[in-house]
Amino acid sequence: MRLLSEKAMCNTHGQVSSYFAGWEEYEKNPYDEVNNPTGIIQMGLAENQLSFDLLESWLANNQDTASFKKDGQSFFRELALFQDYHGLPVFKKAMVEFMSEIRGNKVAFDQNKLVLTAGATAANETLIFCLAGKGDAILLPTPYYPGFDRDLQWRTRVEIVPIQCTSSNNFQITKPALEQAYQDAQNRNLKVKGVLVTNPSNPLGITISRSELNLLLSFIISKGIHLISDEIYSGTAFNSPGFVSIMEVLKEKKCENTEVSNRVHIVYGLSKDLGLPGFRVGAIYSNNDKVVSTATKMSSFGLVSSQTQYLLSALLSDKKFTKSYISENQKRLKNRQKQLVKGFEKAGISCLKSNAGLFCWVNMKHLLKSNTFEAEQELWERIVYDFKLNISPGSSCHCIEPGWFRVCFANMSQTTLNLAMDRLKTFVDSTTNTNY
């Protein structure tokens, strides 16, 4: 007799890929400048550690808030007791204002349409639960974040159908690719419920163009389906063209407060823009009252702590700080991205021209033994095991062209980045010299 559930016994969690395998290898032998200088350098983690000093400075200057005090009096008891799962109004207000600020205040958000979740992972899954179920499909442009195989499918039982994008046009979304993905889903007897995009793109490190957003909006209108725009990297755009939110396009098209706007949803969080993944702050924004109501009920299974909301409401409400932080953080990301690209160029490797995110999309096709994913896997294993750099192969991101890799640059010190570039150069030299 089976003692465990079907879910416990299944092997479809989405973590059987080289993306997660690289993480496992890193955890066995993590690089440390002092204690393990020959360990694996983690370049597969899209984490922003470049602006911690700005956050720490704010905390030092707001010790009452950091100590959960208000007007010198402890506020801890109120925060420690039960809180409604709708979230603290003061935090939701600060959150939507911060979202507007990142978008240049070109669009405004209503805090009553915001649902708080324990991270963007929970936000994406909750939204999928609200829109689709078993036998349904969500279309995703490739390459896409490997974690989506887990986040969007494992518990919802929804299928991901790829929208195949290629390097021929820098992986932009096209109408033929959208139509082909829709047809592919129908051929599999799946009902397409929506399209999900990451803007800026993970793993490409580029913002989705206005023309692509208009195309996506026209597509969901013609098919009568939903559009999810995961905009968790929206504050990381550091070069032109700048970030354009799908909400801005809705406004331009005069589609606000229409039936179409009820089928457009945004996912956001503070993990990337503020570098606070451990705080587990995610959000769903939707004009659809039923989605907001259902997602709010579901959020009771993964709440953001009252202490986190209280602290961050004060930080996000400090407009002088947020304005300065956003600007300085983008400058630091731009500088770090330049350094990474320059390091790759020195090694004879090119990168997709990027303007956002915490990573670069790197072309190593010329280092492959053959134009196959088997050759890509072999190359990746040499990089991880022999040269101790954990990067993510394109196949784990469902890229249809072998030889692309995602490399993160914001989760390490300058010294560590320099060492990583030295190791990379040694790897390329050894590959070239041995005619690998």
Side-chain angles (χ1 to χ4, degrees), residues 232-253:
I232 195 171
Y233 289 98
S234 53
T236 70
F238 49 77
N239 264 338
S240 61
F243 168 74
V244 179
S245 172
I246 189 62
M247 298 301 287
E248 191 177 334
V249 174
L250 282 174
K251 184 178 180 180
E252 290 171 353
K253 294 284 189 182

Side-chain angles (χ1 to χ4, degrees), residues 316-357:
L316 295 180
S317 297
D318 186 339
K319 303 303 182 188
K320 183 179 178 181
F321 171 77
T322 55
K323 182 178 180 180
S324 173
Y325 176 90
I326 291 169
S327 175
E328 179 61 25
N329 183 55
Q330 289 170 352
K331 286 179 185 175
R332 294 182 183 188
L333 289 171
K334 180 177 182 177
N335 181 55
R336 179 57 69 84
Q337 184 260 10
K338 273 185 180 178
Q339 294 174 39
L340 186 78
V341 171
K342 189 176 290 186
F344 275 109
E345 286 176 346
K346 270 188 177 181
I349 296 172
S350 63
C351 303
L352 182 72
K353 186 177 180 181
S354 59
N355 66 328

Side-chain angles (χ1 to χ4, degrees), residues 60-72:
N61 293 325
N62 293 270
Q63 292 188 13
D64 261 15
T65 302
S67 302
F68 303 114
K69 291 180 180 179
K70 184 185 289 185
D71 301 323

